Amino acid sequence: MHLLTQRAHRRPISRVAAVAAGALVLGLAGYAAPAGASPAASPSKTDQPPGAVLGKPAPGTPQLVNNTGRHNLNRITQMVQCGDTMYAVGIFNTIVQGGTDYARTNIFSFQADAPYTITSWAPQVNGTINTITFNAGDCDDAYIGGNFTSVNGTTVKNIAEIDTVVGDVVPTFGTSTAGGQVETMLAVDGHILVGGYFQWINGSHADPFMASVDPVTGKDDGFLHLAISGHYDYCDDKGKCTQGENSSVQLQQLSHSGNYDLVEGDFTSVAGLQREQIFMLDLTTDPATVTPWTSSQWDGSDPNQPYQCVPVEAWYIRAAAWSPDDSTIYIGDTGNHPNNLGTFIPRSGLCDAVASFPATLGPVSDNWIEYSGCDSYYSIAADDGAVYAAGHPRWVDNSDGCDNLGSGGIKDFGLQGLDPSSGNVDLKTSGQPVYTMSRANASNMLITTAGLWIGSSNRFGSQSCGLTSGHSGICFLPYPTP
């Protein structure tokens, strides 16, 4: 059984707290969403937040090769676990472990427990793989999506089902063709939910940008009919305009109950409803339906809200995660600062921030917003003890700064742990952050019962995680031993 990932796949087995009395639940009648609650004045200090992972990584995990520049980057784009094996995909041609180089082409697997031995499985995929999923815990075959045209010499296009013995293409999975790059795949209840830039998939033009396909035949099975459309194209007060590309679906996260799916991307309309950047699907209906969950803080329904960020980063909600009890949704954003407001202090809006929202099925307002001070977040994960936010931040709790450390801000690079109730950063008794890593643009995180896996790039020689070197591209923060 594979587990919950930032590009979500499955329900985690444990470490889910009981819902406290009065906690939010999906669809709770009469609930009034909190109106922009602010973080507490002072973060609490503890060397180990209860219920959270350790700040020091486990040794011996595989890593990317060292890269001292900002170009020709290698990257781990997603990790999932199936059985006792971890699967990692991205863009790379070498994986390093224990001083040994292993030739691996954009996909590999390794033992999920120490000593994290790399397996002999080495499919040859001639382009970037963005996503991987397994159907109903069946580890015999993997579904992969990205920007590629060949797997082990077999012609495919951007999507394929491959076996986990030698990596050959499973020929029964449709034509293994998507008319555009695939960004995300999620296996749930007999469907493979696929999102990306494609206009058609396996011969069907019915559901561009996001479709549901049968895990056996690869054909569109009709479970999704979302009519996704729109993209960002607007100008700032100086007349500078940005022209977005076509719509796209980038990420999705399954709720722990398995009933709901969060979807992020570049779009403005879904199923005829105004939905910008993020929406929630109800998977208990057939076909799946778009829920009423949304917010004027990002969807443009309130012209008085500073909901758009700078034109060059118009699509800014780049990550989302569910709380363990599914009552809360956390988002991670790019965007620099709100459009037309400049570097206004204190910060406002959702740009370059982490925010908490109720998961109530209706319009919502934030519980709290934490600002980095104009640095981006690309990945979010959450457990009982912390909200983990990663990207390339330099500071945290920095609402009075933009590209500088403002009043009350705290230096905290790459990875941050935030209090789920307030958004304040987790600090040690020494006053230093509990979690930190290189500014490697960490883009995906996976929580398993063992701990937190973090996938990132190797930009500028990024190797440090938890102040420990030797973790380029992959860092594993385990839970404390009972």
Side-chain angles (χ1 to χ4, degrees), residues 155-157 159 171-178 200-203 217-219:
T155 298
V156 293
K157 189 174 182 181
I159 189 171
T172 56
F173 187 66
T175 58
S176 294
T177 303
W200 49 269
I201 189 167
N202 279 350
T217 67
K219 299 296 185 181

Side-chain angles (χ1 to χ4, degrees), residues 116-408:
Y116 312 108
T117 304
I118 295 175
T119 73
S120 61
W121 189 62
Q124 299 295 301
V125 184
N126 72 339
T128 303
I129 305 176
N130 295 317
T131 182
I132 179 171
T133 192
F134 291 86
N135 182 42
D138 181 358
C139 301
D140 291 337
D141 297 302
Y143 300 84
I144 60 173
N147 185 15
F148 51 82
T149 59
S150 175
V151 177
N152 278 1
T154 299
T155 298
V156 293
K157 189 174 182 181
N158 304 325
I159 189 171
E161 180 184 1
I162 62 175
D163 70 64
T164 55
V165 178
V166 295
D168 284 346
V169 171
V170 177
T172 56
F173 187 66
T175 58
S176 294
T177 303
Q181 184 164 303
V182 171
E183 293 288 336
T184 177
M185 301 176 74
L186 168 66
V188 57
D189 292 338
H191 309 280
I192 308 293
L193 311 186
V194 186
Y197 293 90
F198 56 85
Q199 298 277 356
W200 49 269
I201 189 167
N202 279 350
S204 172
H205 290 74
D207 299 297
F209 313 122
M210 189 171 188
S212 173
V213 300
D214 184 278
V216 177
T217 67
K219 299 296 185 181
D220 190 320
D221 61 18
F223 185 61
L224 295 181
H225 289 303
L226 299 177
I228 294 171
S229 64
H231 58 84
Y232 287 92
D233 180 9
Y234 65 94
C235 302
D236 63 18
D237 55 0
K238 297 179 181 179
K240 180 181 179 181
C241 301
T242 181
Q243 176 65 52
E245 298 179 355
N246 289 330
S247 307
S248 66
V249 167
Q250 299 286 329
L251 295 169
Q252 53 186 325
Q253 302 85 25
L254 186 66
S255 67
H256 301 287
S257 68
N259 293 334
Y260 298 91
D261 185 25
L262 290 173
V263 182
E264 299 92 63
D266 184 358
F267 45 76
T268 59
S269 177
V270 182
L273 302 172
Q274 183 173 359
R275 293 291 185 272
E276 301 195 13
Q277 305 189 77
I278 187 170
F279 63 92
M280 184 196 296
L281 281 175
D282 184 346
L283 302 179
T284 66
T285 63
D286 191 356
T289 51
V290 178
T291 74
W293 181 83
T294 188
S295 176
S296 61
Q297 289 177 256
W298 66 70
D299 69 10
S301 60
D302 181 357
N304 296 315
Q305 287 271 11
Y307 80 98
Q308 289 180 326
C309 298
V310 296
V312 293
E313 296 181 277
W315 166 52
Y316 57 85
I317 298 181
R318 298 299 179 94
W322 296 86
S323 65
D325 62 8
D326 286 342
S327 68
T328 306
I329 292 167
Y330 307 102
I331 65 171
D333 307 328
T334 63
N336 194 264
H337 61 76
N339 186 35
N340 298 333
L341 289 185
T343 55
F344 183 79
I345 300 297
R347 316 298 303 150
S348 61
L350 296 174
C351 311
D352 280 354
V354 177
S356 166
F357 287 86
T360 313
L361 299 184
V364 295
S365 298
D366 71 88
N367 301 313
W368 51 256
I369 303 176
E370 181 280 321
Y371 294 99
S372 66
C374 299
D375 284 336
S376 297
Y377 294 99
Y378 294 106
S379 186
I380 296 289
D383 59 15
D384 294 332
V387 178
Y388 307 98
H392 62 240
R394 290 166 286 180
W395 307 286
V396 67
D397 294 351
N398 196 29
S399 61
D400 286 340
C402 183
D403 287 328
N404 68 286
L405 183 61
S407 174

